[in-house]
Amino acid sequence: ERQWQAGDLLRTRRNNRHLPVGDGHVRNGDLYLVTAVAPEGLTVLERRGRGWAFLPGDYVAAHAEHGWAATIDSAQGATVDVGLVLVRPGVDREHLYVAMTRGREANHAYITGDTIDPIDRHGPTPRPYDDRTTTVEDRAIDILATALANSGAQDSAHTMRENARHRAAEQTGHAAEATAMMEAARARIIPAEHTARVAELTRLREQRAHLDGERDRHNRLAQLARTDLAETPRWRRGLRNELLTAITAHQSGADRTFAPAATLDRGITTLTRRVEDDTRQREQQRRTRTMRTEQGTTGEAYLAPAQPAGKAEHLDLHAMRRGSFAIHRDVSVRRRDRDLERIAEQNRRIHHDRDHSRGRDDGRAIGI
């Protein structure tokens, strides 16, 4: 897609060992001067004096571009007569130094402002400037000052280590603060006697772990003494007696840990049950408070009597219970009244039937 003619600068973008140049080959980043153009390719001259080369058309189409301009990274190490540097916001001082030291005779920096073509929607977001108070020189100075203040160099190993230590110290401090806050919140919620039992349980467990460590130490030393005793000849009676004494002492020390360990185990079991009971008690209290809150909400919805506009009455749990008892009492009274009415109606029917039967008997007798 590029038009080439003699006198153009060409930059190769891929290594190719099949294209010789002097005593080497075409490499990525090489700069050439086009001397002749043919349908089969280009005849070029390497700018560093390595010699002539012929670049086929397929290589030129895929891996060649004009060499009039290059990125700062690709131009690193190159030397030209005059360097023209396009400086845009975001460049750091290391890249700016490399770009401004490529030219032998002169180096010029062309600083782009933050204004871009409004049709180009893919460019960087321009920084807002007040055109009434900011001049072009001010913008250029601001871009250069920002570039000089911005470093893109990687930190050394010592700096990275110190930064890591600093971050670790900060994280440890934040974790300690969070733990302290959690402990303070837990202390406000958990009763003092519950906290005391938890602390006592922790202390007993630490003592139990210490006894286990002491027993392991005595057993290890006794085993070492037994090994030395087995390797000691019988004629060295003094050393053997010392080893036997050490074995006996360590065995006795290990045996002495069993009684305190059993006592601690009983205390740990008892305190563990107490702590579990405390936990269940706090959980039950929490559930009770939750249920009371929910019952209070539903009680107001179903049992609250009608109130005039602008007035409201808060019903507590006792009022709810009294209202529920009143409802049950009214239901019982109505049931009793209905039963009494049913009994009275049955009595009236019985008396009516009895009187009617007596009247028919009398009439039959009179008729006779």
Side-chain angles (χ1 to χ4, degrees):
E1 298 179 356
R2 295 180 175 89
Q3 299 294 329
W4 298 97
Q5 60 183 356
D8 285 344
L9 287 179
L10 182 147
R11 185 182 300 276
T12 54
R13 304 303 301 168
R14 186 173 184 177
N15 297 334
N16 193 325
R17 296 184 178 273
H18 300 288
L19 301 178
V21 179
D23 57 351
H25 61 274
V26 174
R27 296 177 299 185
N28 178 26
D30 287 347
L31 191 64
Y32 298 88
L33 176 66
V34 178
T35 59
V37 179
E40 297 81 9
L42 303 178
T43 303
V44 295
L45 177 63
E46 210 272 334
R47 291 297 303 270
R48 297 182 181 178
R50 296 170 58 198
W52 299 84
F54 179 78
L55 303 179
D58 54 353
Y59 180 87
V60 173
H63 308 298
E65 62 182 17
H66 286 104
W68 304 107
T71 62
I72 297 177
D73 292 329
S74 61
Q76 187 172 2
T79 302
V80 297
D81 295 333
V82 178
L84 308 178
V85 184
L86 180 63
V87 181
R88 302 192 66 175
V91 67
D92 53 46
R93 61 171 174 259
E94 288 80 13
H95 283 83
L96 183 61
Y97 171 80
V98 170
M100 292 296 292
T101 55
R102 298 304 93 200
R104 298 187 187 92
E105 300 178 2
N107 292 278
H108 302 276
Y110 291 84
I111 305 171
T112 66
D114 289 327
T115 58
I116 60 175
D117 188 355
I119 300 178
D120 182 12
R121 301 299 180 185
H122 301 286
T125 302
R127 174 179 174 180
Y129 282 102
D130 189 355
D131 294 335
R132 296 172 298 179
T133 59
T134 304
T135 62
V136 177
E137 290 78 8
D138 293 336
R139 297 184 189 180
I141 293 175
D142 182 46
I143 294 173
L144 285 178
T146 303
L148 294 176
N150 181 26
S151 176
Q154 296 182 352
D155 293 333
S156 63
H158 295 285
T159 303
M160 294 178 64
R161 183 181 62 182
E162 292 300 325
N163 293 337
R165 289 179 178 176
H166 182 67
R167 287 192 297 269
E170 288 185 349
Q171 292 177 359
T172 303
H174 295 330
E177 292 179 0
T179 303
M181 294 177 63
M182 292 177 61
E183 292 296 335
R186 187 179 293 113
R188 290 194 299 268
I189 297 174
I190 301 177
E193 59 273 14
H194 296 183
T195 305
R197 280 191 282 270
V198 172
E200 181 64 16
L201 178 61
T202 303
R203 187 181 66 83
L204 293 182
R205 287 175 175 172
E206 291 176 354
Q207 292 181 358
R208 184 66 172 81
H210 178 71
L211 285 178
D212 291 339
E214 285 294 318
R215 185 184 304 122
D216 293 339
R217 185 178 66 85
H218 284 297
N219 290 332
R220 185 175 63 257
L221 294 176
Q223 184 62 33
L224 291 176
R226 292 190 186 94
T227 303
D228 294 340
L229 180 63
E231 297 175 355
T232 302
R234 294 183 178 277
W235 56 270
R236 300 189 63 179
R237 295 180 180 178
L239 180 58
R240 291 179 63 86
N241 290 333
E242 292 178 359
L243 292 175
L244 288 173
T245 302
I247 293 173
T248 303
H250 289 303
Q251 188 62 44
S252 300
D255 294 339
R256 285 195 298 269
T257 60
F258 285 103
T263 303
L264 288 174
D265 288 339
R266 290 192 295 270
I268 290 172
T269 302
T270 303
L271 275 177
T272 301
R273 293 176 181 175
R274 295 291 302 276
V275 170
E276 291 176 354
D277 292 340
D278 294 340
T279 303
R280 285 194 294 269
Q281 179 182 355
R282 293 196 303 272
E283 182 64 20
Q284 184 63 31
Q285 292 176 355
R286 185 188 65 81
R287 293 179 180 178
T288 302
R289 290 193 297 268
T290 304
M291 292 176 60
R292 286 180 178 178
T293 303
E294 295 177 353
Q295 290 177 356
T297 304
T298 56
E300 289 183 2
Y302 288 98
L303 301 179
Q307 296 290 338
K311 295 183 179 180
E313 180 180 0
H314 178 71
L315 298 179
D316 56 5
L317 185 60
H318 297 288
M320 290 167 54
R321 292 175 178 173
R322 289 196 300 270
S324 177
F325 175 74
I327 291 175
H328 289 293
R329 184 180 60 184
D330 293 340
V331 172
S332 300
V333 171
R334 286 196 297 271
R335 288 179 180 176
R336 185 190 61 185
D337 293 341
R338 285 198 300 269
D339 294 339
L340 292 176
E341 291 178 358
R342 190 181 301 109
I343 294 172
E345 181 66 23
Q346 291 176 357
N347 291 333
R348 285 195 297 271
R349 290 180 179 179
I350 292 172
H351 290 296
H352 179 270
D353 294 340
R354 185 182 301 167
D355 294 341
H356 184 66
S357 300
R358 185 181 300 156
R360 286 189 308 212
D361 294 343
D362 294 343
R364 190 181 305 111
I366 293 173
I368 289 175

